[in-house]
Short mmCIF file of all heavy atoms in Angstrom, two decimals:
data_model
loop_
_atom_site.label_atom_id
_atom_site.label_comp_id
_atom_site.label_asym_id
_atom_site.label_seq_id
_atom_site.Cartn_x
_atom_site.Cartn_y
_atom_site.Cartn_z
N ARG V 233 -99.07 -0.49 -3.51
CA ARG V 233 -98.59 0.77 -2.91
C ARG V 233 -99.54 1.26 -1.81
O ARG V 233 -99.83 2.44 -1.69
CB ARG V 233 -98.44 1.84 -3.98
CG ARG V 233 -97.30 1.54 -4.96
CD ARG V 233 -97.24 2.57 -6.07
NE ARG V 233 -96.08 2.38 -6.90
CZ ARG V 233 -96.01 1.50 -7.90
NH1 ARG V 233 -97.06 0.74 -8.17
NH2 ARG V 233 -94.91 1.37 -8.62
N GLY V 234 -100.06 0.29 -1.04
CA GLY V 234 -100.88 0.65 0.11
C GLY V 234 -102.34 0.85 -0.21
O GLY V 234 -103.15 1.04 0.69
N VAL V 235 -102.72 0.81 -1.50
CA VAL V 235 -104.12 0.98 -1.88
C VAL V 235 -104.76 -0.39 -2.00
O VAL V 235 -104.27 -1.25 -2.73
CB VAL V 235 -104.25 1.74 -3.21
CG1 VAL V 235 -105.73 1.89 -3.59
CG2 VAL V 235 -103.59 3.10 -3.11
N SER V 236 -105.84 -0.60 -1.29
CA SER V 236 -106.47 -1.91 -1.31
C SER V 236 -107.95 -1.77 -1.63
O SER V 236 -108.38 -0.75 -2.17
CB SER V 236 -106.24 -2.59 0.04
OG SER V 236 -106.68 -3.92 -0.02
N TYR V 237 -108.74 -2.78 -1.27
CA TYR V 237 -110.16 -2.76 -1.59
C TYR V 237 -110.86 -1.61 -0.90
O TYR V 237 -110.52 -1.23 0.23
CB TYR V 237 -110.81 -4.08 -1.17
CG TYR V 237 -110.20 -5.29 -1.85
CD1 TYR V 237 -109.35 -6.14 -1.17
CD2 TYR V 237 -110.49 -5.56 -3.18
CE1 TYR V 237 -108.79 -7.24 -1.79
CE2 TYR V 237 -109.93 -6.66 -3.81
CZ TYR V 237 -109.08 -7.49 -3.11
OH TYR V 237 -108.54 -8.57 -3.73
N GLY V 238 -111.88 -1.08 -1.56
CA GLY V 238 -112.63 0.02 -0.98
C GLY V 238 -113.90 0.29 -1.76
O GLY V 238 -114.18 -0.36 -2.77
N VAL V 239 -114.65 1.27 -1.31
CA VAL V 239 -115.90 1.67 -1.97
C VAL V 239 -115.90 3.18 -2.13
O VAL V 239 -115.19 3.91 -1.42
CB VAL V 239 -117.14 1.23 -1.16
CG1 VAL V 239 -117.22 -0.28 -1.09
CG2 VAL V 239 -117.10 1.83 0.24
N ILE V 240 -116.70 3.66 -3.09
CA ILE V 240 -116.87 5.10 -3.30
C ILE V 240 -118.24 5.48 -2.77
O ILE V 240 -119.26 4.92 -3.21
CB ILE V 240 -116.74 5.47 -4.78
CG1 ILE V 240 -115.32 5.15 -5.27
CG2 ILE V 240 -117.06 6.95 -5.00
CD1 ILE V 240 -115.12 5.40 -6.75
N GLU V 241 -118.24 6.39 -1.81
CA GLU V 241 -119.49 6.85 -1.23
C GLU V 241 -119.87 8.20 -1.83
O GLU V 241 -119.00 9.03 -2.13
CB GLU V 241 -119.35 7.00 0.29
CG GLU V 241 -119.14 5.69 1.02
CD GLU V 241 -119.02 5.88 2.52
OE1 GLU V 241 -118.76 7.03 2.94
OE2 GLU V 241 -119.18 4.91 3.27
N THR V 242 -121.17 8.42 -2.02
CA THR V 242 -121.64 9.69 -2.54
C THR V 242 -123.04 9.97 -2.02
O THR V 242 -123.81 9.03 -1.76
CB THR V 242 -121.65 9.69 -4.08
OG1 THR V 242 -122.15 10.95 -4.54
CG2 THR V 242 -122.50 8.56 -4.63
N ASP V 243 -123.33 11.25 -1.86
CA ASP V 243 -124.68 11.65 -1.43
C ASP V 243 -125.59 11.84 -2.63
O ASP V 243 -126.79 12.06 -2.48
CB ASP V 243 -124.62 12.96 -0.64
CG ASP V 243 -123.84 12.78 0.67
OD1 ASP V 243 -123.83 11.65 1.18
OD2 ASP V 243 -123.23 13.76 1.13
N THR V 244 -125.00 11.78 -3.82
CA THR V 244 -125.76 11.99 -5.04
C THR V 244 -126.63 10.76 -5.32
O THR V 244 -126.17 9.63 -5.21
CB THR V 244 -124.84 12.22 -6.24
OG1 THR V 244 -123.99 13.32 -5.95
CG2 THR V 244 -125.65 12.53 -7.50
N THR V 245 -127.86 10.99 -5.70
CA THR V 245 -128.77 9.89 -6.03
C THR V 245 -128.98 9.84 -7.54
O THR V 245 -128.69 10.80 -8.26
CB THR V 245 -130.12 10.07 -5.32
OG1 THR V 245 -130.68 11.32 -5.74
CG2 THR V 245 -129.95 10.07 -3.81
N GLY V 246 -129.45 8.74 -7.98
CA GLY V 246 -129.81 8.62 -9.38
C GLY V 246 -128.71 8.11 -10.28
O GLY V 246 -128.84 8.16 -11.51
#
Side-chain angles (χ1 to χ4, degrees):
R233 292 175 173 83
V235 179
S236 188
Y237 301 105
V239 296
I240 297 176
E241 294 181 341
T242 179
D243 296 332
T244 304
T245 59

